[in-house]
Amino acid sequence: MAQRLAFTKMHGLGNDFMVVDAVSRRLPVAEWLTPTRIQGWADRHFGIGFDQLLLIEPPSGTKADFRYRIFNADGGEVEQCGNGARCFARFVAERGLTDRREIRVETAGGPIVLHLTDDDRVRVDMGRPRFGPEAIPFKPPITASESPYTLMLSGQPGGLDRVTLEAVSMGNPHAVLQVKDLESFPVEAVGTALEAHPAFPRRVNVGFVQQHRPDHIALRVFERGAGETLACGTGACAAVAAGIRAGRLHSPCRVDLRGGALSIEWSGREDDSLFMTGPATFVFDGEVAIDSTE
C-alpha cells in the first residue's frame, strides 16, 4: 500500500507553494522528495501545481526555531524565497507549531527573522543585501569594474544583443534590469538567456523594473528553475536594494508585482537589514500518494 504525504497549498501574491510539515511528522525526506516527484507534483496539468515546494523541519541548532528548505518546480534546491518565507510563518503559527510572533529560521541562504503582524501580514527581516560579485556569485565582464554591468546576449528578439544590469544577493542571486515598458519587454526571452548566462555560475533570478516614482516600482521576475512567476519576494527586495543604492529609489518603496503589492524598507546602509512586508494565503490541504516503485 502506498504511503501518503500530507501537504498544504499556499500562495504569496500568486507565487504558489506546496508546504510540507516535517516537524509534526518526521519524514524520510531524501527518499520521498526526489527531483522527479517534485517535478511531477509541480505540474499544473497532471499534479498539484506550484512554483516551489517548502519543507519545514526542526532546526539543526539552538539559535533558530525551525529550518526552512525550498525546492523549485524543476526539483532543484535553492537558498531563499521571500514569498515562501511569509507563507512559512503563517503556516507554523496557524497550525500550532509555535506561539511566537517573532520566528527565527535557518535557510540555505542564511538566517532570517519573521514577524507576524496583527493584520495577518508578515514582516520579514531578509538580512543584508550583498553586492559583491563573490557573494552572488557573479563573474563580471573583464571590462567592468563596478555596477551597473553590461552583458552580451545572443539570439535575442529585436536585435537585443546586450543588457545593462545590477547584481544583488538576497541570500540567492538576482540580476536587476531597468526597462521602459514591462508589458512590451521580452521578459521570457531575456530571462531565459540570463538565467543560464555563464556570468552566473549558480544561475540567476532576473528582475525587470519599471519605475513610476522614487517610492513606487512595477516588477516582473523570471525565476531560475520556475520561469516567470506572479510574484517574487526576494526579487522585490533585490530590485529596491539596487534602486536605493543607485539613488533612484527611497524607503519605504511599494513594489507592484503581477500578483499584488509588497512594501520594502531599507536604510541604504549595507550593514543594515532589509525588511519586506506582505500577505500569505492558505488555499487548501491535501495528500499525495508516495509510490515506492517511482
Side-chain angles (χ1 to χ4, degrees):
M1 179 181 294
Q3 299 188 73
R4 306 192 72 81
L5 173 66
F7 70 91
T8 297
K9 180 75 181 284
M10 299 185 72
H11 77 84
L13 302 180
N15 187 190
D16 58 345
F17 308 100
M18 175 183 178
V19 184
V20 176
D21 174 6
V23 174
S24 301
R25 176 189 177 193
R26 297 300 175 93
L27 302 173
V29 170
E31 177 185 345
W32 283 15
L33 303 188
T34 64
T36 299
R37 282 202 179 100
I38 292 171
Q39 291 168 17
W41 295 335
D43 190 284
R44 296 188 182 278
H45 299 286
F46 298 100
I48 298 161
F50 54 82
D51 295 319
Q52 282 95 17
L53 183 149
L54 310 181
L55 178 64
I56 302 170
E57 295 182 313
S60 62
T62 60
K63 294 183 179 180
D65 302 305
F66 298 96
R67 183 185 183 204
Y68 157 55
R69 296 172 67 188
I70 308 110
F71 298 86
N72 276 342
D74 65 359
E77 187 168 2
V78 295
E79 304 92 342
Q80 186 57 280
C81 175
N83 289 320
R86 298 197 314 277
C87 290
F88 165 92
R90 282 207 66 196
F91 181 93
V92 297
E94 297 202 13
R95 297 302 167 90
L97 299 182
T98 184
D99 59 2
R100 298 186 178 187
R101 304 294 288 177
E102 180 178 286
I103 306 167
R104 299 184 180 276
V105 185
E106 296 175 8
T107 77
I112 60 174
V113 182
L114 314 175
H115 305 265
L116 293 159
T117 68
D118 292 336
D119 59 356
D120 288 332
R121 288 157 63 87
V122 181
R123 187 172 188 258
V124 185
D125 180 341
M126 295 295 294
R128 297 182 295 109
R130 291 177 290 173
F131 301 94
E134 68 286 346
I136 293 167
F138 173 55
K139 297 178 180 179
I142 295 175
T143 55
S145 60
E146 60 181 24
S147 180
Y149 305 98
T150 298
L151 292 185
M152 304 301 296
L153 303 177
S154 61
Q156 294 302 300
L160 184 63
D161 61 356
R162 66 186 64 196
V163 293
T164 298
L165 59 86
E166 292 151 300
V168 187
S169 173
M170 290 303 311
N172 58 352
H174 290 270
V176 179
L177 285 70
Q178 307 297 312
V179 304
K180 291 182 179 179
D181 182 5
L182 275 180
E183 294 307 312
S184 63
F185 194 83
V187 166
E188 182 174 0
V190 175
T192 299
L194 280 175
E195 178 196 13
H197 196 285
F200 295 97
R202 295 183 188 170
R203 300 189 295 165
V204 71
N205 304 288
V206 188
F208 302 87
V209 179
Q210 181 178 343
Q211 182 167 334
H212 297 308
R213 298 189 307 271
D215 63 350
H216 184 196
I217 63 172
L219 175 69
R220 292 172 64 181
V221 181
F222 189 94
E223 296 194 50
R224 58 178 177 167
E228 185 177 3
T229 57
L230 290 176
C232 177
T234 56
C237 296
V240 173
I244 290 175
R245 185 173 188 248
R248 296 186 301 269
L249 301 177
H250 61 68
S251 177
C253 185
R254 173 186 170 120
V255 181
D256 288 340
L257 299 126
R258 291 197 154 185
L262 293 171
S263 177
I264 309 297
E265 305 163 68
W266 185 47
S267 69
R269 294 186 293 270
E270 293 192 19
D271 289 338
D272 288 351
S273 288
L274 179 150
F275 293 87
M276 171 189 63
T277 303
T281 304
F282 286 89
V283 182
F284 63 84
D285 293 316
E287 290 184 338
V288 289
I290 302 294
D291 187 344
S292 61
T293 63
E294 292 182 10

